[in-house]
């Protein structure tokens, strides 16, 4: 029998995000920590109110009784970018398909370089385009559109590509993701093959940020992540999730991101976190400051608490396009027939049955 996380709360992080709190040690404690999380979350209703994006089968303002689909958008942006007018791209696009029992979730990464149709948005003066899907967020957030406009257009592009309607959309940027892992004190990760970092170098035994152009081959003083399992500091774990210089490029990066999310969920539910109310408080505060959400009219507290059954072992990673680059029209990245079938099965709430026929699409994270 699978053991669930102990004590009065269980914290499940997807893309560095707390999905659920559940209680067994007092209603007052649960309400206190849940309020600490939700009081800082920025919300909107403008994303999923758009026709065809939100789950049309769900009753307005209520959590669906059946399966759910969440869209998680990770931005490679830094502090001050929004004020300076710099556009962010959603370099991580992850669909979380949650089963009707709300206790298991499948993670499906959409390749950021996949060529897709980005629908027009007249409110932003954007006439539409066919380009890399990660550009959708940048187009939507431009000219004052903000994160709401970016999330709306990115969700539209993912819906156009997959046919999936969503019950929630969550946005988090790189700095916010880092804050959650720092509050946790790092995580345990398994490196499946030697890879090098294009963002850091080692000088005189000291790790330093690498300035200049992004190298295509490892410099002599490259920082290497060697094969094996170990505890990683927050900055190491984040860098591991960004590594992409390998034969499978961005697909290895997607796999590492999914692996990090599972590791964060395990750490969040560990005795070291759950047995320390001060640390729980710190993690929740960091998560709340980092999240931007559209919950399709469902109160944030209800939305989060309704997913209380999710645990680290219930986050199941899936690979698209066979885990490698699929050449599409014009040399851009395309979509394989199996991946189209995956999207269709997710939209029709038949994903478990589809995966029974395609077990090769499941990923082992090395843990």
């Amino acid at each position: 029998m699978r053991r669930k996380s102990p004590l009065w709360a269980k914290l499940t992080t997807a893309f560095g995000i707390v999905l659920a709190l559940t209680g067994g040690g007092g209603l007052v404690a649960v309400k206190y920590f849940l309020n600490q999380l939700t009081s800082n979350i920025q919300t909107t209703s403008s994303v999923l109110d758009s026709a065809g994006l939100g789950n049309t089968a769900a009753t307005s303002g209520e959590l669906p009784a059946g399966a759910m689909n969440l869209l998680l958008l990770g931005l490679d942006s830094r502090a001050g970018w929004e004020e300076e007018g710099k556009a962010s791209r959603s370099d991580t696009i992850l669909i979380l398909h949650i089963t009707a029992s709300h206790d298991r979730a499948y993670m499906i990464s959409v390749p950021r370089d996949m060529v897709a149709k980005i629908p027009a948005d007249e409110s932003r003066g954007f006439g539409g385009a066919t380009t890399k899907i990660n550009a959708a967020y940048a187009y939507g957030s431009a000219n004052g559109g903000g994160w709401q406009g970016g999330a709306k257009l990115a969700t539209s592009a993912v819906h156009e590509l997959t046919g999936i309607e969503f019950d929630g959309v969550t946005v988090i940027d790189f700095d916010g993701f880092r804050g959650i892992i720092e509050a946790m004190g790092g995580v345990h990760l398994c490196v499946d093959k030697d890879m090098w970092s294009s963002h850091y170098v080692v000088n005189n035994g000291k790790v330093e940020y690498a300035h200049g152009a992004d190298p295509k081959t490892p410099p002599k003083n490259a920082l290497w992540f060697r094969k094996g399992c170990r505890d990683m500091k927050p900055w190491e774990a984040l860098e591991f999730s960004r590594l992409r210089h390998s034969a499978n490029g961005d697909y290895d990066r997607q796999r590492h991101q999914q692996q990090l999310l599972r590791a964060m969920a395990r750490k969040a539910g560990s005795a070291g976190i759950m047995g320390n109310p001060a640390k729980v408080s710190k993690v929740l505060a960091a998560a709340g400051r980092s999240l931007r959400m559209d919950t399709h009219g469902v109160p944030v507290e209800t939305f989060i608490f309704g997913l209380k059954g999710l645990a680290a072992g219930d986050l199941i990673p899936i690979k698209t396009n066979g885990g490698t680059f699929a050449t599409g029209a014009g040399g851009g990245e395309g979509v394989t027939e199996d991946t189209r079938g995956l999207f269709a099965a997710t939209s029709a709430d038949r994903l478990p049955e589809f995966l029974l026929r395609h077990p090769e699409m499941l990923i082992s994270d090395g843990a």
Side-chain angles (χ1 to χ4, degrees):
M1 182 176 181
R2 184 172 56 206
R3 184 183 178 189
K4 293 292 185 178
S5 301
L7 304 180
W8 45 261
K10 174 171 46 182
L11 185 74
T12 298
T13 322
F15 206 50
I17 300 169
V18 176
L19 287 183
L21 286 171
T22 184
L27 183 61
V28 173
V30 173
K31 285 186 174 180
Y32 170 77
F33 286 110
L34 187 59
N35 180 68
Q36 187 174 18
L37 170 64
T38 59
S39 61
N40 290 320
I41 295 176
Q42 296 183 47
T43 61
T44 186
S45 60
S46 62
V47 176
L48 294 179
D49 278 352
S50 301
L53 298 184
N55 184 355
T56 54
T59 302
S60 178
E62 297 181 11
L63 201 68
M68 299 173 60
N69 292 302
L70 308 184
L71 181 61
L72 311 178
L73 302 172
L75 311 182
D76 190 10
S77 59
R78 301 293 186 273
W81 275 23
E82 190 170 324
E83 292 79 2
E84 296 171 11
K86 294 182 179 179
S88 299
R89 293 189 172 221
S90 49
D91 276 357
T92 298
I93 305 171
L94 193 146
I95 298 168
L96 207 65
H97 178 78
I98 301 170
T99 57
S101 56
H102 293 182
D103 63 356
R104 177 173 295 180
Y106 296 90
M107 298 186 291
I108 306 170
S109 293
V110 177
R112 62 178 183 173
D113 293 336
M114 186 172 279
V115 175
K117 179 182 177 182
I118 302 176
D121 186 347
E122 294 181 0
S123 67
R124 302 255 56 80
F126 174 66
T130 298
T131 185
K132 293 179 180 180
I133 197 167
N134 72 335
Y137 187 94
Y139 285 128
S141 61
N143 301 320
W147 72 268
Q148 297 92 337
K152 178 181 176 181
L153 196 55
T155 304
S156 296
V158 174
H159 172 72
E160 180 81 21
L161 175 69
T162 65
I164 297 171
E165 296 178 347
F166 292 99
D167 299 282
V169 178
T170 298
V171 178
I172 187 171
D173 63 23
F174 184 85
D175 281 340
F177 197 65
R178 180 177 59 195
I180 297 172
I181 302 177
E182 287 177 346
M184 287 183 173
V187 292
H188 187 83
L189 288 168
C190 294
V191 181
D192 57 352
K193 59 184 175 183
D194 290 353
M195 292 185 69
W196 60 279
S197 166
S198 60
H199 301 110
Y200 291 92
V201 293
V202 181
N203 290 323
N204 298 320
K206 183 179 179 181
V207 177
E208 299 176 352
Y209 191 81
H211 297 281
D214 186 7
K216 302 302 179 185
T217 58
K220 292 182 179 180
N221 60 343
L223 172 66
W224 283 87
F225 284 73
R226 300 298 182 183
K227 183 177 179 179
C229 300
R230 61 186 176 87
D231 291 334
M232 290 191 186
K233 297 177 181 178
W235 72 266
E236 290 180 293
L238 276 175
E239 184 58 21
F240 173 70
S241 74
R242 302 175 76 200
L243 298 179
R244 57 186 175 83
H245 289 292
S246 64
N248 289 325
D250 193 50
Y251 286 88
D252 279 337
R253 181 176 177 270
Q254 294 170 30
R255 184 164 45 81
H256 294 158
Q257 290 171 347
Q258 293 181 350
Q259 182 181 348
L260 176 58
L261 299 178
R262 284 167 56 86
M264 291 176 72
R266 283 192 295 269
K267 181 66 175 283
S270 68
I273 299 290
M274 293 290 89
N276 187 335
K279 184 161 286 190
V280 171
S281 180
K282 188 176 181 181
V283 171
L284 292 182
R289 288 192 299 268
S290 306
L291 299 181
R292 301 168 179 179
M293 300 180 69
D294 186 327
T295 56
H296 202 204
V298 179
V300 176
E301 295 84 353
T302 303
F303 188 90
I304 293 175
F305 202 76
L307 302 180
K308 61 183 180 295
L310 289 178
D314 302 320
L315 300 176
I316 303 169
I318 299 172
K319 60 184 172 184
T320 54
N321 285 357
T324 190
F325 185 89
T327 302
E333 185 157 12
V335 187
T336 65
E337 285 305 309
D338 280 349
T339 298
R340 292 188 189 279
L342 173 70
F343 292 153
T346 303
S347 178
D349 190 20
R350 293 175 181 167
L351 186 54
E353 298 93 324
F354 176 85
L355 291 172
L356 283 175
R357 301 192 301 272
H358 296 274
E360 72 281 358
M361 301 183 84
L362 295 170
I363 299 173
S364 172
D365 67 5

